[in-house]
Amino acid sequence: MKKIILASGSPRRRELLTQIGVTFEIYKAEGDEVMTSSVPEEAVKELSRQKALEVSEKCDGTVIIGADTVVAGDGQIFGKPKDKADAMRMLRLLQGKEHRVITGVTILLKEQQRTVSFAEVTKVHVFPMTEAQMEAYADSGEPMDKAGAYGIQGRFAAYVSGIEGDYNNVVGLPVGRLYQEALAAGVDLITYGKD
């Protein structure tokens, strides 16, 4: 049976896929993330591939979508903060500057025995923030499960002066590009498995 699996527990990725009309199941990747590249675009593609491969071995999906997002700025790669102090460190480095949000996506197409991987990059510009503003934001708890310690779709929107690129990519999944890449590989994610 044709089935799409999202290899992620992210509620934001789930919402974005649902928003464009894709019918899918969730099977969260649990393995350790091993990054061997210091180039953000390569690192996220590698992590998304690891997630998709791990989940493909455990479930019966015919299309598996893996994704991983990092924030790159100040010559560093930022994942999710370990604690409040780590979130504050990230916010101090991002405030008042531009950074890049990079999402790596891997689509495993079992029927075609094909893998498609890509990285989408969006530039985000952040207004200067005071220490008190960063403290209040960190205390909200919102940054804790997000790459770069912020969610553009939440309270942090008050500090974003602009973006260049795909907004959905910053939220966690560049669904437009995902749909187009799958379509180019011969799979219409919106109608897949419904015929």
Side-chain angles (χ1 to χ4, degrees), residues 127-144:
F127 284 113
M129 296 171 73
T130 65
E131 195 69 15
Q133 286 169 331
M134 288 183 281
E135 188 87 32
Y137 182 65
D139 283 341
S140 75
E142 190 176 278
M144 298 320 296

Side-chain angles (χ1 to χ4, degrees), residues 1 13 19 60 65 71 73 122 137 186 192:
M1 191 174 137
R13 290 191 181 121
Q19 177 186 314
D60 61 351
I65 300 166
V71 168
T122 304
Y137 182 65
Y192 190 79

Side-chain angles (χ1 to χ4, degrees), residues 2-8 17 24-29 48-67 105-112 114-117 178 182 187 189 192:
K2 293 182 173 186
K3 197 190 298 181
I4 298 171
I5 304 287
L6 175 62
S8 170
L17 264 187
F24 62 97
E25 292 177 16
I26 292 168
Y27 204 114
K28 188 175 181 236
S48 73
R49 244 187 325 270
Q50 289 171 17
K51 290 178 179 181
L53 287 167
E54 176 199 326
V55 167
S56 77
E57 292 168 10
K58 298 176 183 173
C59 71
D60 61 351
T62 47
V63 174
I64 316 283
I65 300 166
V105 179
T106 294
I107 312 163
L108 281 184
L109 305 160
K110 285 188 173 179
E111 290 175 310
Q112 289 94 329
R114 188 168 170 197
T115 302
V116 177
S117 286
L178 167 62
V187 173
L189 294 175
Y192 190 79

Side-chain angles (χ1 to χ4, degrees), residues 170-181:
V170 186
V171 177
L173 191 64
V175 284
R177 174 125 183 238
L178 167 62
Y179 179 74
Q180 297 301 325
E181 294 276 357

Side-chain angles (χ1 to χ4, degrees), residues 38-118:
S38 59
V39 178
E41 290 83 350
E42 293 308 311
V44 289
K45 283 197 289 188
E46 183 178 29
L47 292 171
S48 73
R49 244 187 325 270
Q50 289 171 17
K51 290 178 179 181
L53 287 167
E54 176 199 326
V55 167
S56 77
E57 292 168 10
K58 298 176 183 173
C59 71
D60 61 351
T62 47
V63 174
I64 316 283
I65 300 166
D68 198 85
T69 302
V70 296
V71 168
D74 242 26
Q76 298 179 52
I77 297 176
F78 303 106
K80 295 173 184 172
K82 293 187 279 294
D83 51 31
K84 183 186 169 187
D86 197 29
M88 287 294 290
R89 176 187 68 81
M90 292 182 196
L91 292 169
R92 286 187 191 106
L93 290 168
L94 298 177
Q95 65 86 26
K97 298 179 191 151
E98 170 196 296
H99 62 271
R100 296 179 308 140
V101 176
I102 304 126
T103 301
V105 179
T106 294
I107 312 163
L108 281 184
L109 305 160
K110 285 188 173 179
E111 290 175 310
Q112 289 94 329
Q113 296 183 330
R114 188 168 170 197
T115 302
V116 177
S117 286
F118 65 88

Side-chain angles (χ1 to χ4, degrees), residues 141-195:
E142 190 176 278
M144 298 320 296
D145 66 338
K146 296 170 183 72
Y150 76 89
I152 197 168
Q153 74 283 7
R155 295 178 184 189
F156 197 78
Y159 306 109
V160 175
S161 63
I163 70 165
E164 297 170 53
D166 182 354
Y167 171 83
N168 291 325
N169 185 50
V170 186
V171 177
L173 191 64
V175 284
R177 174 125 183 238
L178 167 62
Y179 179 74
Q180 297 301 325
E181 294 276 357
L183 206 54
V187 173
D188 184 328
L189 294 175
I190 294 170
T191 61
Y192 190 79
K194 294 176 185 169
D195 40 13

